[in-house]
Amino acid sequence: MPSRLTPLRVLLLDLDGVLVDTRPVMENAWQQVQKGHGLNVPFEMYERHLGRPFADIMDQLGLADAEAIHQTYSQASTAASHLARQFDGVAEVLHAFASAEWRLGIVTSKPLNRAAPLLAQLGVPFATVRTPNGVGRGKPAPDPILLALIDLGADPADALYIGDMAVDQEAARRAGVPYVHAAWGYGAPGRPAPVVAESPKDLLRLMDAGPLLEGSTV
């Protein structure tokens, strides 16, 4: 098969904390979990593990009966979904990348039934959406990023991954994909210091950026 003449340009993004501010939803849902299951685990302890699949977070917190807790959390999240808000400028930025013929994909630890309505509100054509509902391990394993690249017929060198948690950075590193940290999100970057975008609109500079250097900003 002949090699493609024009390299693909792929932008893969996390959802919570990058495209949509769902912290109010998550905090409300966690309060319902605490009440319903008699837990004394502050939301801040849950929040520090965001980015991992729910069952992994329960393991990190040492909580048993993860399935029942997840059911309560999922129902409460759905009921509070109206509290979610897009980050300022996100939709415009995504449309700009799409117009520039970048292929867009989502790699998130949010289950598909809760992710799909949020993505639909953005009105952007995502070429792939990878969630814990699919095969493979969740972040920080590289599986969902690599599977998204397989979906798109792309190499790691063709892509960028935008996340907001150290677990996102680790997944990108293990997948061999350059990582950009969303400073407006929920977590601090890990080590080594990644490229940092201060706002969604800063991501537009990636369209014409050369090789990304650790510790730089866009």
Side-chain angles (χ1 to χ4, degrees):
M1 180 181 294
S3 61
R4 56 178 181 259
L5 298 178
T6 303
L8 288 175
R9 295 185 295 178
V10 173
L11 189 69
L12 299 176
L13 307 108
D14 187 24
L15 178 57
D16 298 282
V18 174
L19 301 182
V20 181
D21 182 8
T22 54
R23 180 187 268 122
V25 178
M26 294 186 288
E27 190 165 11
N28 182 284
W30 190 249
Q31 289 172 354
Q32 299 305 312
V33 165
Q34 289 179 297
K35 293 177 182 177
H37 296 270
L39 302 180
N40 185 24
V41 180
F43 174 71
E44 290 73 19
M45 292 184 63
Y46 173 84
E47 185 179 30
R48 71 181 57 165
H49 300 292
L50 291 178
R52 298 176 181 270
F54 193 88
D56 290 353
I57 297 177
M58 296 301 98
D59 286 341
Q60 293 287 326
L61 296 176
L63 296 178
D65 207 8
E67 186 173 346
I69 293 174
H70 193 198
Q71 184 175 2
T72 300
Y73 185 91
S74 181
Q75 292 173 347
S77 294
T78 300
S81 61
H82 62 282
L83 300 176
R85 295 289 184 271
Q86 295 176 24
F87 287 106
D88 185 43
V90 157
E92 293 85 351
V93 167
L94 293 177
H95 281 290
F97 273 96
S99 296
E101 298 185 347
W102 285 64
R103 302 194 73 188
L104 305 179
I106 297 295
V107 177
T108 177
S109 294
K110 184 180 288 298
L112 183 60
N113 66 317
R114 300 207 313 270
L118 296 173
L119 295 175
Q121 293 174 18
L122 293 168
V124 178
F126 293 104
T128 180
V129 176
R130 281 287 168 177
T131 74
N133 299 83
V135 299
R137 301 165 295 172
K139 296 182 290 186
D143 303 23
I145 294 178
L146 293 173
L147 288 166
L149 294 177
I150 291 172
D151 293 339
L152 301 176
D155 294 338
D158 297 327
L160 297 172
Y161 184 52
I162 316 299
D164 70 313
M165 302 293 291
V167 70
D168 298 320
Q169 183 177 348
E170 182 180 346
R173 177 186 61 79
R174 291 168 64 179
V177 171
Y179 174 75
V180 176
H181 189 79
W184 61 93
Y186 304 145
R191 295 290 179 182
V195 174
V196 175
E198 295 296 335
S199 71
K201 291 182 179 179
D202 281 345
L203 296 175
L204 294 174
R205 303 183 194 180
L206 295 171
M207 287 187 183
D208 302 314
L212 299 179
L213 300 177
E214 292 177 355
S216 66
T217 58
V218 296

